[in-house]
Amino acid sequence: MPTQAPFVIVGAGLAGAKAAETLREEGFDGPVVLVGAEPERPYERPPLSKQYLLGRADRDNAFVHDAGWYAEHDVELRTGVRATRLDPAAHRLTLDTGEELSYARVLLATGASARRLPVPGADLDGVRYLRTLADADRLVTDLTGGGRRVVVVGAGWIGLEVAAAARSHGNTVTVVEPQPTPLHAVLGAEMGRVFARLHRDHGVELLTDTVVREIRGSGGRVTSVVTDGHAGLPADLVVIGVGVVPDSQVAAAAGLEVDNGVVVDEALRSSAPDVYAAGDVASAFHPHHGRHVRVEHWANALNQGPAAARSMLGQEVAYDRVPYFFTDQYELGMEYSGLAGPGDTVVCRGDPDDGAFIAFWTADGRVTAGMNVNVWDVTAPIQQLIRSRRQVQPARLADPDTPLELLAG
Ligand SMILES: Cc1cc2nc3c(=O)[nH]c(=O)nc-3n(C[C@H](O)[C@H](O)[C@H](O)COP(=O)(O)OP(=O)(O)OC[C@H]3O[C@@H](n4cnc5c(N)ncnc54)[C@H](O)[C@@H]3O)c2cc1C
């Protein structure tokens, strides 16, 4: 009897691990191979810039499954192995071990890598990025004990969370950001200012409208950061958080449609037969938005991996979850749902100066996104409001006595 070709998952991150789990939960009893370039079994990244970086979380808490789970569920986990070539016509995958795997269906869950900062000196010792558990292990050692001068390049989510952790450890922190406020592209100026104030209140020197030109060092080690406004910000450590790049090289080389990630339809099928994509690497057609969306967030990996697995099994799938994100910085906890556009109007329920409020973004009177800051258990109605596309009067949105459930219908 010929052996059955496996379902292969490339990328042993959250999306890949959850896809493997779902294949088994759905009763698939054929072979499943999960190939991951990192040495660890699949883990979750959000703690790496929060509790783990603060030294308050155990390494073991980050893993998606117990070490024994893979063998128990007959999932062949291949860690420390990278897929280098995909041949969709022959249904074959080449690994960097030189092996070739035949597959029946393959899921690309290769995620994303930290974008490198293209300036002189970015390769000096003491310049760090934060994407992997190994990165976090190094960074927590760097930050613990305090007393260091840390320059964070980029006031995005990772940069701000690292700044908060670095301050909590007692380091001096400067954040350099080219935009007028932190998180400008996602939140706009008004809500970006909330995060600017938060960090300044915690002693961070925040330099906005400022571009890093060079990182300087002595004896191979970083000593300062040169910007368009500063001849040299003293630095013992530089942490770069300037976004991520989807890991779609294998897909592109295989001739798959790639455009800011692997292009997939709402069932997470790529342009090649039997090749699927999910998580940070996937630019998926989103039925609600009517366009392709690539979401770089935990909840998307958590839910899209299982959706892709069901699609691989031939089930009908239309992935249409509202994009969702969360962050924790100092005493601020926040959840964001939806996808605001650059021209959207912001309506606040509560006063941002009080530290607890909900911001809504609206276009044509319809809610496109909502951000709850230190207000909890409102994600479901906010997402319902976004999905409903109902027109809502700004005064009612702003009124804390009008239940969100009522507005969402
Ligand atoms: C420090 C940090 C904090 C974060 N905090 C939050 C947060 O607070 N909230 C939130 O919503 N999101 C957060 N995120 C984002 C979230 O972690 C990602 O969206 C999520 O990890 C994406 O999962 P994924 O499985 O798609 O990809 P990844 O987690 O990137 O996993 C992909 C895996 O595939 C491997 N791989 C790549 N290419 C190959 C190949 N050719 N062969 C084999 N393996 C390969 C990679 O090495 C990697 O291990 C954070 C991310 C980071 C880095």
Side-chain angles (χ1 to χ4, degrees):
M1 240 175 55
T3 47
Q4 190 183 351
F7 277 21
V8 177
I9 301 168
V10 183
L14 180 60
K18 290 310 247 186
E21 183 185 294
T22 302
L23 287 174
R24 289 301 182 228
E25 275 177 6
E26 293 289 330
F28 179 68
D29 60 4
V32 175
V33 182
L34 177 55
V35 181
E38 290 184 65
E40 292 88 3
R41 69 182 190 272
Y43 59 88
E44 307 206 9
R45 299 183 197 276
L48 305 187
S49 49
K50 304 177 187 65
Q51 292 300 316
Y52 191 69
L53 203 55
L54 289 164
R56 293 182 198 151
D58 199 350
R59 206 169 195 271
D60 278 353
N61 291 345
F63 292 106
V64 181
H65 298 110
D66 294 340
W69 184 91
Y70 299 91
E72 281 159 22
H73 292 82
D74 204 13
V75 171
E76 187 186 337
L77 174 62
R78 306 280 306 271
T79 54
V81 175
R82 182 172 284 278
T84 52
R85 188 166 170 270
L86 174 70
D87 182 343
H91 280 59
R92 290 183 83 77
L93 188 74
T94 309
L95 307 180
D96 62 0
T97 53
E99 280 169 276
E100 282 206 4
L101 288 181
S102 290
Y103 64 80
R105 295 201 165 145
V106 65
L107 171 63
L108 302 177
T110 49
S113 298
R115 186 188 299 281
R116 303 281 134 173
L117 188 71
V119 300
D123 55 352
L124 282 166
D125 194 13
V127 178
R128 303 271 191 258
Y129 292 84
L130 177 54
R131 180 73 193 176
T132 65
L133 199 45
D135 295 336
D137 283 335
R138 265 201 318 182
L139 203 51
V140 78
T141 307
D142 293 331
L143 299 178
T144 304
R148 309 192 78 187
R149 294 164 304 176
V150 182
V151 174
V152 176
V153 183
W157 302 114
I158 299 291
L160 294 183
E161 289 179 1
V162 168
R167 283 297 298 141
S168 302
H169 280 290
N171 298 284
T172 304
V173 179
T174 304
V175 176
V176 184
E177 164 59 45
Q179 297 296 319
T181 64
L183 304 163
H184 200 261
V186 194
L187 302 184
E190 193 178 340
M191 287 301 123
R193 278 195 288 274
V194 172
F195 285 84
R197 197 166 52 235
L198 173 76
H199 282 268
R200 287 187 173 128
D201 285 352
H202 284 84
V204 169
E205 183 185 18
L206 174 64
L207 306 175
T208 53
D209 294 309
T210 304
V211 178
V212 170
R213 297 287 185 214
E214 185 182 348
I215 302 173
R216 291 208 178 129
S218 164
R221 221 197 131 75
V222 64
T223 53
S224 66
V225 175
V226 180
T227 74
D228 50 1
H230 304 79
L233 300 165
D236 303 310
L237 188 73
V238 177
V239 186
I240 298 173
V242 293
V244 296
V245 184
D247 280 332
S248 50
Q249 303 88 332
V250 168
L256 269 64
E257 191 184 346
V258 168
D259 180 8
N260 179 32
V262 180
V263 176
V264 291
D265 64 11
E266 71 267 33
L268 307 170
R269 294 172 296 216
S270 79
S271 58
D274 299 323
V275 183
Y276 299 72
D280 277 15
V281 78
S283 176
F285 184 79
H286 198 293
H288 178 86
H289 298 291
R291 62 182 170 91
H292 285 82
V293 175
R294 191 173 67 77
V295 180
E296 296 166 352
H297 298 324
W298 169 88
N300 183 64
L302 182 77
N303 296 307
Q304 220 173 46
R310 283 191 278 273
S311 189
M312 290 165 84
L313 292 170
Q315 297 179 18
E316 208 159 303
V317 167
Y319 187 84
D320 66 351
R321 282 184 180 254
V322 175
Y324 165 90
F325 174 81
F326 63 92
T327 185
D328 295 311
Q329 298 168 31
Y330 314 105
E331 68 285 355
L332 181 149
M334 173 281 244
E335 295 174 290
Y336 176 101
S337 293
L339 217 48
D344 292 1
T345 306
V346 178
V347 177
C348 279
R349 173 176 286 220
D351 184 351
D353 286 341
D354 292 344
F357 67 100
I358 307 175
F360 297 96
W361 282 259
T362 64
D364 299 328
R366 296 176 172 88
V367 175
T368 56
M371 174 174 83
N372 45 301
V373 175
N374 291 342
V375 174
W376 304 111
D377 301 325
V378 290
T379 297
I382 288 175
Q383 295 197 352
Q384 206 182 328
L385 203 48
I386 295 167
R387 280 183 180 288
S388 75
R389 300 182 203 271
R390 294 179 92 192
Q391 284 194 310
V392 191
Q393 289 168 359
R396 301 194 79 204
L397 260 187
D399 174 15
D401 293 329
T402 304
L404 293 177
E405 290 78 1
L406 191 76
L407 296 177

